[in-house]
Amino acid sequence: MQRIAVIGGTGMTGQCVVDYALEKGLKIRLLYRTEPTIPERFKGKVQLVQGDVTNIDDVKRLIEGDGGVEGVCVILGTRNKLEATTELSRGTENVIKAMKEANLKKFSIVMSSFLLRSLNEVPAVFHKLNEEHRRMLDLTKASGLDYVAILPPHIADEPASGYTVVHDEAPGRLVSKEDLGKFIVDSLDQPEHYGKVCGIAKSA
């Protein structure tokens, strides 16, 4: 894989995705909403496409423009807003639709490890966001594409230290933002994770 699209690449984890993909020598098309959110270090190194994931035409331009891409990394967040929203699931729906139209198969997408727990274990303050993540996961599973659904626990602002990945369960309560960024990119080329719900955590 040589060319990827990144959606949500200006947040904490998303920046790690872009940094790591650049280290690997990948060509990156990055969807961004506003100029001030783009880190200076990305300018001149990634192809910038202005738009919003909730606009299907913007997503199509990202995926299909300039020769197209071979995989998509989706790291949508709410920037600490916890109220009810459908923005993330609408964005997920648009990504899946645009990928199908472009005959593109591979994408990795980040949600929350709360989906691996029963609702009574999830703090009430996260219930609305958890419902939205559930809608994202349902759309992803029904997509028919080679998805990798990545459900991290608490994302720590710390350097890479090694990580563990398991299917359908949470292997721990913490993961480095850099390790998570690596897996989001690397999993696109790891067929053993296609069609799987992946729990990830810092190695013991």
Side-chain angles (χ1 to χ4, degrees):
M1 184 167 302
Q2 300 298 316
R3 301 183 309 280
I4 64 169
V6 179
I7 298 169
T10 59
M12 180 179 79
T13 302
Q15 289 187 35
C16 294
V17 168
V18 175
D19 286 335
Y20 179 67
L22 286 171
E23 269 179 48
K24 284 191 76 166
L26 301 181
K27 290 180 180 167
I28 302 160
R29 292 173 60 82
L30 174 66
L31 187 70
Y32 73 97
R33 280 196 232 190
T34 58
E35 185 80 26
T37 62
I38 304 166
E40 281 299 320
R41 67 185 185 277
F42 291 176
K43 294 176 181 176
K45 293 184 178 177
V46 306
Q47 190 174 1
L48 299 168
V49 178
Q50 187 165 19
D52 193 305
V53 72
T54 60
N55 183 323
I56 183 67
D57 292 329
D58 291 346
V59 180
K60 286 180 183 178
R61 277 193 302 116
L62 174 78
I63 287 173
E64 296 171 8
D66 192 27
V69 297
E70 298 157 274
V72 182
C73 298
V74 183
I75 319 101
L76 293 173
T78 58
R79 301 220 183 249
N80 298 319
K81 290 188 288 185
L82 299 175
E83 63 264 24
T85 180
T86 59
E87 196 172 300
L88 308 183
S89 56
R90 282 187 292 134
T92 302
E93 199 167 16
N94 284 342
V95 170
I96 291 166
K97 186 175 180 185
M99 286 182 65
K100 286 182 174 180
E101 287 188 17
N103 290 316
L104 192 60
K105 278 282 193 185
K106 296 191 274 191
F107 76 110
S108 57
I109 182 166
V110 179
M111 286 158 261
S112 163
S113 67
F114 281 146
L115 292 176
L116 295 168
R117 300 192 211 170
S118 60
L119 192 58
N120 62 6
E121 291 181 75
V122 178
V125 69
F126 293 112
H127 281 189
K128 293 296 183 189
L129 187 55
N130 201 56
E131 286 172 13
E132 177 68 337
H133 282 174
R134 172 61 62 190
R135 287 188 285 271
M136 290 172 72
L137 184 57
D138 288 345
L139 286 163
T140 298
K141 284 182 169 181
S143 69
L145 302 175
D146 291 333
Y147 68 84
V148 183
I150 304 170
L151 278 54
H154 174 70
I155 303 167
D157 188 4
E158 60 182 48
S161 59
Y163 61 89
T164 300
V165 175
V166 295
H167 296 152
D168 299 315
E169 61 179 295
R173 296 292 178 113
L174 182 82
V175 67
S176 151
K177 63 178 184 178
E178 292 186 8
D179 281 330
L180 178 56
K182 285 181 179 182
F183 183 62
I184 291 166
V185 176
D186 286 343
S187 63
L188 291 173
D189 273 330
Q190 295 173 339
E192 65 268 29
H193 298 306
Y194 294 171
K196 301 291 187 184
V197 175
C198 299
I200 182 171
K202 188 175 184 174
S203 297

